[in-house]
Amino acid sequence: MNIAFYSFFVIIALLFAVFVWSQRSSKKHTAPATPPSSSLDLPGSHVAYLPQIRRALSSTDYEYASKRIPPEALRRMRRERKQVALGYLAALREELVRLLRTAKIIASLSPKVAPKQELERALLAANFLWRYRLIRLSVWAGFAPLPQINDLGNLLSGYSVHLEEAMKEMGERAAMVAEMVSSPDRRRIHPV
Amino acid sequence: MEGTHAFEQWLWGVTLFLKAGLVLLVVYRKNNRVLPFFFSYLVLNFLQSVLLYETYRIWGLDSPVSLRVAWGTQGLVTLARALAVAEICHAILARHRGIWQLAWRLLAGTAIFVTVYSWAVSRGRWELVILSLDRALEMAMVSAIAILFVFARHYQVTVTPVIRLLSIGFFQYSCFRVINDTILERWLHHYASLWNLLDVLAFLGSLLLWMWALRQTLPATAPAPELLPENDYRVLSPAINARLKALNEQLIHFWRTEGENT
């Protein structure tokens, strides 16, 4: 009975914490009142810097430098490489957040939402975030997972391209519907 | 003890006065048309207070008749409050049809689960049946409001300040009642007078919050967002999830490689 008695306090405390968290900075996260077709933040910014980052992080570059510069400069170079890797990982995460934001906007403006899809996305995002933290920690600790970072970048770029194509398709379809509606013979339009 | 009793009576009078004031304010601002269930709850609450005042005056505070009237009407008022909370949920999410379809099932499911849980773990004494049921309903409302705001935050749905304040009022009062009922269940007779006093104080807090929120006339209907065609979600959502899945697989792959290296 004691557990049941205290369970109410614990549940209320948890729900209170959740409620307070949900009130926090909700002003800056508001859904638009119009479809986002023209204003979607499609990511892809990291792609522009990918060749430079790959070069900066490549092992051959490091080996070449190790033969030509003093150890102190090499240590500084290693430190800077780590900073670049961490910065790149942070940029990837930022892009993922932007993509998730796009997904949320689409869901909030859709007349029908599939619970399975939404749950799956929430779990996938949670999975990504905890793995991202582990990777970030390992990079910070001094391991340099360069090929894997490259893979991550490719993956997100592919994701962005795919989304961009889908959004373009959406725009074309909307334009076609608008044209059909403005044509004189509207009775022939079958929405389904 | 006498002093506490007098303070409680004074507080009770103030609350009754404020309840009447809020009912009049809602009617004056024509907000009863926008929030009919909330208004019904306020009217029922006010009528309950008047009825209880008369019941206590005629039969006394500790008589079985007063007890039955108090708990009987309390059931009705709690139910009206649950409907008002449902109205708030609808006011926040209904404009986003897809999310609302998803949310109302989840909110109802959680409310039912929490009610059953609260009922199941309550002490099996017949005199505590109403108290347990009351706590179960309060618990369901607390969960529903918390999940509602998590939903709103997740999907970046705008919540107007008025609706937010009304929700905070409901949330704080229900939270308080769950705690108050739980303590009362354990120390029934020793806690009863303090239970009443704290309950009135908590309600007073909510009442003042609602009065502040409803000092202005609410717009009859909020502008609904322009929705996307249904097919867009069907196309984009699985694509996004597929990419997220692939991204996670990459992370797993990376983690394994990292483990092997070290």
Side-chain angles (χ1 to χ4, degrees), chain B residues 41 44-46 48 72-82 141:
Chain B
Y41 162 65
L44 273 175
N45 201 309
F46 174 72
Q48 184 203 27
T73 52
Q74 185 56 40
L76 202 65
V77 170
T78 307
L79 206 66
R81 192 144 47 85
M141 280 185 264

Side-chain angles (χ1 to χ4, degrees), chain A residues 10-29:
Chain A
V10 172
I11 294 169
I12 287 294
L14 283 174
L15 289 170
F16 188 79
V18 166
F19 185 75
V20 170
W21 171 82
S22 71
Q23 302 296 312
R24 199 170 53 98
S25 68
S26 50
K27 268 185 185 171
K28 49 182 180 178
H29 304 287

Side-chain angles (χ1 to χ4, degrees), chain B residues 23 26 31-45 76-91 166 170 210 214 218:
Chain B
V23 169
V26 171
N31 287 330
N32 52 325
R33 294 175 194 173
V34 186
L35 299 164
F37 285 102
F38 179 73
F39 179 67
S40 308
Y41 162 65
L42 289 179
V43 171
L44 273 175
N45 201 309
L76 202 65
V77 170
T78 307
L79 206 66
R81 192 144 47 85
L83 287 172
V85 168
E87 185 176 58
I88 296 285
C89 297
H90 187 264
L166 293 180
F170 279 123
W210 292 333
L214 295 167
L218 297 174

Side-chain angles (χ1 to χ4, degrees), chain B:
Chain B
M1 195 69 190
E2 197 61 40
T4 314
H5 190 67
F7 177 64
E8 198 183 322
Q9 275 188 331
W10 176 81
L11 211 60
W12 206 69
V14 170
T15 313
L16 187 68
F17 175 74
L18 287 176
K19 277 179 195 175
L22 184 57
V23 169
L24 291 174
L25 181 70
V26 171
V27 175
Y28 177 70
R29 293 286 180 197
K30 296 185 175 67
N31 287 330
N32 52 325
R33 294 175 194 173
V34 186
L35 299 164
F37 285 102
F38 179 73
F39 179 67
S40 308
Y41 162 65
L42 289 179
V43 171
L44 273 175
N45 201 309
F46 174 72
L47 290 177
Q48 184 203 27
S49 300
V50 174
L51 185 69
L52 280 180
Y53 178 79
E54 282 302 307
T55 310
Y56 291 149
R57 197 176 59 84
I58 297 165
W59 287 287
L61 267 171
D62 298 321
S63 80
V65 180
S66 299
L67 204 71
R68 268 184 228 123
V69 171
W71 281 113
T73 52
Q74 185 56 40
L76 202 65
V77 170
T78 307
L79 206 66
R81 192 144 47 85
L83 287 172
V85 168
E87 185 176 58
I88 296 285
C89 297
H90 187 264
I92 293 175
L93 291 180
R95 288 182 302 129
H96 301 267
R97 229 188 314 151
I99 301 170
W100 173 241
Q101 291 292 323
L102 177 68
W104 82 260
R105 288 184 180 91
L106 188 73
L107 291 174
T110 310
I112 291 167
F113 173 78
V114 168
T115 309
V116 170
Y117 170 79
S118 306
W119 178 256
V121 299
S122 58
R123 298 165 96 173
R125 283 159 59 183
W126 67 269
E127 69 264 35
L128 296 172
V129 164
I130 298 169
L131 188 71
S132 302
L133 196 63
D134 183 63
R135 182 180 58 188
L137 280 170
E138 299 292 350
M139 195 80 168
M141 280 185 264
V142 172
S143 323
I145 295 171
I147 292 172
L148 169 78
F149 275 91
V150 169
F151 246 87
R153 190 176 201 276
H154 181 74
Y155 288 106
Q156 301 164 9
V157 173
T158 314
V159 182
T160 59
V162 173
I163 296 292
R164 191 180 292 278
L165 280 176
L166 293 180
S167 308
I168 292 171
F170 279 123
F171 186 80
Q172 78 88 16
Y173 184 57
S174 289
C175 274
F176 180 81
R177 273 195 79 99
V178 171
I179 292 167
N180 216 16
D181 282 354
T182 306
I183 297 171
L184 182 70
E185 190 187 57
R186 182 164 262 221
W187 294 287
L188 195 60
H189 296 294
H190 308 287
Y191 189 66
S193 59
L194 190 61
W195 179 83
N196 260 327
L197 179 69
L198 294 176
D199 188 65
V200 174
L201 274 172
F203 188 73
L204 192 64
S206 292
L207 210 55
L208 290 170
L209 211 61
W210 292 333
M211 285 184 103
W212 178 255
L214 295 167
R215 69 193 188 282
Q216 288 168 341
T217 307
L218 297 174
T221 47
E226 196 185 323
L227 295 179
L228 292 166
E230 201 178 315
N231 199 42
D232 290 347
Y233 178 82
R234 271 207 295 262
V235 172
L236 289 168
S237 189
I240 292 169
N241 285 7
R243 298 307 302 182
L244 280 174
K245 212 177 281 177
L247 186 64
N248 272 300
E249 276 162 18
Q250 284 292 311
L251 281 169
I252 293 168
H253 172 70
F254 166 79
W255 186 243
R256 280 184 190 147
T257 318
E258 184 71 5
E260 281 162 20
N261 288 347
T262 53

